Amino acid sequence: MAKYIFTTGGVISSLGKGIASASIGKIMESRGLKITLVKLDPYINVDPGTMNPYQHGEVYVTEDGAETDLDLGHYERFTNAETSKFNNITTGQVYNAVIFKERRGDYLGKTIQVIPHITNEIKDRVRKAAQVSGADIVIVEIGGTVGDIESLPFLEAARQLRLDVGFKNVLYIHLTLIPYVRSADEIKTKPTQHSVGKLREIGIQPDILICRTEKALTDDIKEKISLFCNVPKDAVIEARDAQSIYQIPLVFKEQGLDRRILEHFNMKCKSTDLKDWNRLVVKRALHPSHEVVIALVGKYITLQDAYKSIYESLNHAGIYNDARVIVKKIDSEDIERQGSAKLLKGVSGVLVPGGFGYRGIEGKIEAIKFARENRLPYLGLCLGMQCAVIEFARNVCGLKGANSTEFARKTRYPVISLLEEQRHIKDMGGTMRLGVYPCRIRKDTLAFSVYKRALISERHRHRYEFNNKYKSVMEKNGMVFSGIYPKKGLVEIIELRSFCEIEHPFFIAVQYHPEFKSKPDRPHPLFREFIRAALEKARNL
Ligand code: GLN
């Protein structure tokens, strides 16, 4: 039977609960255990797929095509867990299911209540995630901050699960903040005392506290936290601000967090160290020999979370290439106002990420034109591919006003358009082309030299597709369609090598999202080669 670890957060949001949970997963894997991670999200949306990135940050897509919370990205990057639609449970899904069952008459005349019907549904879903994963340990991260109204049913379900499956099979870890007060030159434990008090009111006594702090926790402080929060002193784990998030598993392991968890579960597993992780990821991340500046031309650049997996993938590729990747975040509307030459000056590569809607599109197209003409390495992701197609159609193939029907319904040259099967869809939620699809790569292409394989599979999240009517005119002008989804003949990868007497070192764009499959110790080949090309460019600048 699986063991359950619930992670909660207190005092403030943005404490890094996702990274802490993923790091716990990593150190338990270092004990040879199979783990999985589940995120419980208190909002009433069924999934984040319909939310604005400013509300929610990136929407992470799993292999099976679920649109999920970005914390699942941390889980997959830190661990070997493969997440799916079972790994993200929202209040919306829970109520949807309960109301559906009520209408069907499943509850036999009962009054439907938060306890037990909603809490039972939550527990069933957590157990289901445990069962489908076959994990020894299931780490369940409860979204929100203790004290929020919204997360109460999740906390109540977590409390009940210990009664259901036994004290020794459930562990509660609370992540909290120990703020430093400059005027007093002291770190303060009171907010943590209150937050743990709040948890106890609900009936949860945390077994372990992870304390986010700027300063080291002295023995005195640990004793104080232990006494007031009712946890043993060696269960007070210090989580000092780190330079790289990938250090966190090492920090936890050094303090024996894995040992403590195993003791609680009465499990004996031999310990392996995280030497490879330290050598391949942490050391290289902290002390790179080179530096390279990449422009990310997007719409949601002020929010760090909006392109989370892309930033991480660039980071992984930098780690592999022994370089610090500095991302110059450029608002594509600024390119429309100020021009690309000014804003892209000095960068060694351009990346255009995914996105929706017309705003900022022309700036992206201009940035791509600049990258194409100036032989700057270019990587386009999803919308970044569609914009590269539009740019090439307009400026090289002479198809004036070419566009995607997403932005201009009646364009003369709809080089990007909807498939017939998408035309009649009315609902917005969960109806895009989602999840993993195979792609066949042509042998003599840049894509093949990047992947070194003819058959790949990558994750999708889009509605619009390249319009195959324009394939031959684009091909004649030098665009190479190097990756195709065989079953439907859909274009997955485009590239430019030689066109209009220009030899381009690295211009590639994909209809899918490679950023969801990159890991710190296994960078995605597209990002890895993009950064390699950018470093080459930087050397020759
Ligand atoms: N808006 C485009 C589409 O729906 C691209 C989506 C994306 O970049 N994820 O096809």
Side-chain angles (χ1 to χ4, degrees), residues 354-356 382-383 386 406 461-464 513:
F356 297 84
C382 207
L383 181 68
Q386 299 177 354
E406 180 181 2
R461 182 173 184 254
H462 60 103
R463 246 181 248 291
Y464 294 80
H513 291 273

Side-chain angles (χ1 to χ4, degrees), residues 9-12 145-148 174-179 188-202 204-206 209 224-225 227-230:
V11 182
I12 58 166
T145 309
V146 168
D148 296 347
H174 188 54
L175 188 69
T176 176
L177 177 73
I178 310 286
K188 293 290 186 187
T189 66
K190 192 72 80 191
T192 294
Q193 296 174 34
H194 283 302
S195 171
V196 170
K198 200 90 205 144
L199 260 181
R200 285 209 300 247
E201 264 174 37
I202 308 164
I204 293 177
Q205 164 63 54
L209 293 177
K224 194 166 170 190
I225 297 171
L227 182 65
F228 283 95
C229 299
N230 195 28

